Amino acid sequence: MKDIDAIAVLQDPVRRRLYEYVVAQGREVGRNEAAEAVGVARTLAAHHLDRLTEAGLLESGNRRLTGRSGPGAGRPAKVYTRARVERSVSLPARDYRTAAELLAEAAEQAGLDAGLCAAARRRGEALRGSAGPCGGLEEAMEMLAARGYEPHLEVAESAESAEGAQGEEGAQGVAGAAARVVRMRNCPFHAVAERFPPLVCGMNLALLEGLLGADGPVRARMDARPGECCVVVEASKNNDD
């Protein structure tokens, strides 16, 4: 199916809500969950989810949602996740990806990493305009969402606090040391980053440093994880968000 035909499938409002819900979860989603989330009948949700799969926008599989196996575990349920293929439409046809890959290849071979990062940081500052540094994680998520990063908040305990925890007081210390980190399910530069990861990921980090501001209560840092953007955003040291 051509990209324009696949994207046209999202014109149906129910189908689009189902697609957006599955994408936002970052995991496999069953038919019952998706139907309940968007407020439609399971049979209607199943129809639209399968249509999205046929269009190549979602991928489907089967697994037991109960987590059990063996006799009495029930039949596997159909589950859906976002397809890994990238879709785009340009009228008339344009090929910016090839241009980006050629420029990245030339920059990498010429050792222009530092210059590229400096330019990316300036671009981030220009995008922020006259506004001050980002005021907190919630504001950062709004800024990142507007630029297509698909941010989500993840709460994790501090490993250092966990190792030092002893008894009841230590357990309370661990809970209090839970860190909030903004991770991003989408990298807007994914296609080029796959071919030139150090160069493009460094550029991405510098861009977000400029966008969020270097002296504010949040900071961007590298923390690559499969299937997500290589940059995360968290509260700066000595700043409580």
Side-chain angles (χ1 to χ4, degrees):
M1 179 177 290
K2 294 182 179 180
D3 284 3
I4 192 169
D5 296 323
I7 293 172
V9 170
L10 295 171
Q11 183 176 1
D12 183 281
V14 174
R15 195 174 295 156
R16 181 163 185 170
R17 293 205 308 273
L18 285 164
Y19 173 78
E20 290 174 343
Y21 178 78
V22 172
V23 166
Q25 305 318 301
R27 56 174 172 78
E28 294 177 329
V29 175
R31 288 172 169 176
N32 288 339
E33 178 187 346
E36 184 176 349
V38 303
V40 299
R42 183 183 183 280
T43 52
L44 180 60
H47 166 73
H48 284 306
L49 290 167
D50 286 340
R51 183 73 183 91
L52 289 164
T53 303
E54 292 170 6
L57 296 172
L58 295 181
E59 294 178 355
S60 64
N62 294 278
R63 70 175 179 85
R64 290 187 173 90
L65 298 178
T66 61
R68 303 193 307 270
S69 60
R75 296 177 58 187
K78 198 163 188 178
V79 293
Y80 303 84
T81 57
R82 173 163 51 187
R84 286 163 287 193
V85 66
E86 186 175 307
R87 301 281 187 176
S88 63
V89 174
S90 176
L91 298 173
R94 298 287 188 260
D95 189 6
Y96 300 113
R97 175 174 174 175
T98 297
E101 290 178 347
L102 289 171
L103 289 168
E105 182 178 357
E108 187 174 74
Q109 291 179 352
L112 300 178
D113 304 55
L116 177 61
C117 287
R121 192 170 288 105
R122 290 194 298 270
R123 175 57 64 89
E125 293 169 351
L127 291 171
R128 179 160 49 92
S130 59
C134 178
L137 291 182
E138 283 70 24
E139 182 180 341
M141 290 181 69
E142 293 178 4
M143 297 171 69
L144 294 167
R147 303 205 63 79
Y149 283 92
E150 297 181 6
H152 64 101
L153 192 64
E154 182 177 278
V155 179
E157 291 181 350
S158 167
E160 294 178 359
S161 297
E163 290 176 0
Q166 293 180 357
E168 185 176 346
E169 292 183 0
Q172 292 175 350
V174 172
R180 299 199 302 159
V181 176
V182 176
R183 292 189 176 273
M184 295 167 271
R185 294 196 173 98
N186 181 51
C187 172
F189 316 110
H190 173 72
V192 187
E194 277 194 318
R195 288 196 58 189
F196 309 95
L199 181 77
V200 178
C201 291
M203 177 200 74
N204 188 21
L205 174 62
L207 177 70
L208 293 183
E209 286 174 341
L211 180 67
L212 300 174
D215 302 321
V218 301
R219 67 167 186 143
R221 64 175 175 85
M222 299 289 284
D223 187 10
R225 193 161 76 175
E228 295 191 347
C229 178
C230 58
V231 179
V232 299
V233 177
E234 63 186 5
S236 301
K237 292 182 179 179
N238 303 320
N239 280 290
D240 294 325
D241 185 47

